Amino acid sequence: MKKHLNTLFVTTQGAYLNKEGETVVVSVDREKKLQLPIHTLDGIVCFGRVLCSPYLMGFCADRDVAISFLSEHGRFLARVQGPVSGNVLLRREQYRRADNMDASAQIAHGVLVGKLANSRTVLQRVVRDHGDKVDAAGINSAANHISALLKSTGSDVPLDSLRGMEGDAARVYFGAFDHLIVNKANGFSFNGRNRRPPLDPVNCLLSFVYTLLLHDVRSALESVGLDSAVGFLHRDRPGRPSLALDMMEEFRPVIADRLVLSLINRGQAAKKDFSTQETGAVTMSDELRKTVLVTYQKRKQDEIFHPFLEEKVTVGLLFSTQALLLARHLCGDLDAYPPFVWR
């Protein structure tokens, strides 16, 4: 758990990835641009017209390195991975819990507590750090509403009620999100969450970073032997990684949302970096996409205090840490799933 591995993001159109010994080679127009040892990677994400040799796919599957294929603009397309690892008894217990609404509600409660607490903290941090530049009253009102929801949660609350609370919290949180944009000079504004496709620059950034986060959370869950498709808060739907979406909830505010706000408030993203397609979909430039990827990767290397473990871990290891804690709960080693709460 102390070794921090990296994700290789390949955005150059026409790039070709192949295996060379124990390494992954990236070539463009038959010219070698990058060569990395396989043991330094925990995932590869390919954007757009990026090809991988069959030998490399088999090599990565054997070494438990997942390869994800996204459209040039970040829409998930497919994923290549090896056999699911871990104890089959763990997955059987996961399925049993998922089929039991009361057991699902207990785990969903932990997920919801993490999301609400972290959402509230993000709001409060902006007021603390930039109270003179933002609508502090509006942000505090949203934080207080989420605090009230947090007090209403409990392990005995039915699953449907928890899902209603999650939806209410998301509505309130995103209702105040525009106030979190401190730097208004670049013309960014947020008028509500939209996706598939995103219709404005802020939603474009959010959707893109959520895709990166989903890749990492899904890889972490599958690395400990859990089935990322079978969730507790999010119910089964063909093609949807419901458990990965569950675990993402506690990370969205503190990792994805704060990263997007940082990019905007620091001027790393500008309106000129976005374009609107005929369909109304908003996309970002290649240059900004690379900036987002580099910033995300650097963020994963930051250390953060884990209140349950009572020690510092890198952000990139939080996903694996939480996946292991969930597995331990399902195996009976922990009485409840302890979500990550940012302090």
Side-chain angles (χ1 to χ4, degrees):
M1 289 299 297
K2 294 298 183 183
K3 187 174 182 180
H4 181 75
L5 303 180
N6 289 313
T7 302
L8 172 62
F9 298 104
V10 185
T11 61
T12 302
Q13 300 304 286
Y16 180 74
L17 282 66
N18 67 285
K19 173 184 180 296
E20 188 172 300
E22 294 289 309
T23 68
V24 177
V25 175
V26 182
S27 302
V28 179
D29 295 331
R30 298 188 178 182
E31 180 183 349
K32 185 184 295 186
K33 297 292 186 180
L34 182 67
Q35 186 168 6
L36 294 172
I38 190 68
H39 69 265
T40 65
L41 298 174
D42 64 358
I44 299 174
V45 181
C46 303
F47 292 85
R49 293 184 297 104
V50 176
L51 301 178
C52 295
S53 74
Y55 293 105
L56 176 65
M57 292 183 185
F59 180 51
C60 289
D62 184 59
R63 298 303 182 89
D64 198 27
V65 176
I67 305 177
S68 294
F69 293 92
L70 281 61
S71 72
E72 187 176 355
H73 304 300
R75 182 173 59 86
F76 178 80
L77 299 174
R79 179 181 174 88
V80 176
Q81 68 180 69
V84 176
S85 61
N87 192 333
V88 65
L89 298 180
L90 171 62
R91 293 192 294 277
R92 286 175 62 85
E93 181 62 23
Q94 178 188 353
Y95 302 148
R96 280 192 289 266
R97 300 278 188 103
D99 287 338
N100 184 308
M101 292 298 102
D102 291 336
S104 291
Q106 291 178 356
I107 298 176
H109 166 257
V111 170
L112 184 59
V113 166
K115 175 176 183 174
L116 295 184
N118 291 336
S119 297
R120 180 184 60 186
T121 300
V122 168
L123 295 172
Q124 292 173 335
R125 284 287 181 96
V126 171
V127 173
R128 187 194 70 182
D129 297 339
H130 306 285
D132 58 333
K133 301 177 182 177
V134 298
D135 180 1
I139 297 174
N140 282 327
S141 175
N144 292 336
H145 187 106
I146 293 175
S147 292
L149 288 173
L150 194 55
K151 293 178 181 178
S152 301
T153 63
S155 57
D156 58 341
V157 176
L159 183 61
D160 284 345
S161 297
L162 291 174
R163 297 180 72 188
M165 291 178 184
E166 189 274 332
D168 188 20
R171 176 185 60 79
V172 172
Y173 174 76
F174 282 120
F177 200 79
D178 185 58
H179 300 316
L180 308 185
I181 300 176
V182 179
N183 181 8
K184 298 291 187 179
N186 283 329
F188 284 98
S189 63
F190 182 82
N191 298 312
R193 184 79 178 105
N194 55 68
R195 55 191 183 276
R196 301 191 191 96
L199 302 176
D200 59 75
V202 179
N203 275 290
C204 178
L205 284 167
L206 287 171
S207 293
F208 185 67
V209 178
Y210 287 162
T211 298
L212 303 179
L213 183 60
L214 180 62
H215 171 273
D216 286 343
V217 171
R218 184 174 182 173
S219 296
L221 289 167
E222 292 171 353
S223 70
V224 302
L226 291 166
D227 188 337
S228 64
V230 180
F232 304 100
L233 180 64
H234 293 84
R235 307 309 294 172
D236 294 352
R237 182 183 297 174
R240 182 169 75 172
S242 297
L243 184 60
L245 292 173
D246 281 359
M247 187 162 287
M248 271 185 66
E249 295 297 348
E250 61 200 74
F251 296 124
R252 286 180 192 259
V254 297
I255 296 178
D257 297 349
R258 290 188 76 238
L259 187 146
V260 169
L261 289 169
S262 177
L263 288 167
I264 295 173
N265 290 333
R266 293 180 180 178
Q268 292 175 275
K271 293 293 287 290
K272 63 180 178 59
D273 295 315
F274 299 88
S275 58
T276 303
Q277 309 299 309
E278 293 182 357
T279 59
V282 173
T283 59
M284 68 181 75
S285 66
D286 290 342
E287 183 177 349
L288 177 59
R289 188 178 302 113
K290 291 176 181 177
T291 298
V292 175
L293 293 172
V294 170
T295 305
Y296 178 72
Q297 197 65 37
K298 287 182 178 178
R299 175 59 174 152
K300 287 167 61 179
Q301 296 170 10
D302 292 343
E303 284 194 336
I304 194 167
F305 181 76
H306 196 294
F308 182 79
L309 299 180
E310 295 185 340
E311 64 177 89
K312 288 185 176 181
V313 298
T314 60
V315 170
L317 286 180
L318 281 177
F319 318 130
S320 296
T321 300
Q322 293 306 123
L324 284 169
L325 291 174
L326 176 57
R328 288 189 61 187
H329 167 58
L330 292 173
C331 290
D333 297 331
L334 294 174
D335 292 336
Y337 166 65
F340 170 73
V341 177
W342 184 46
R343 295 176 180 173

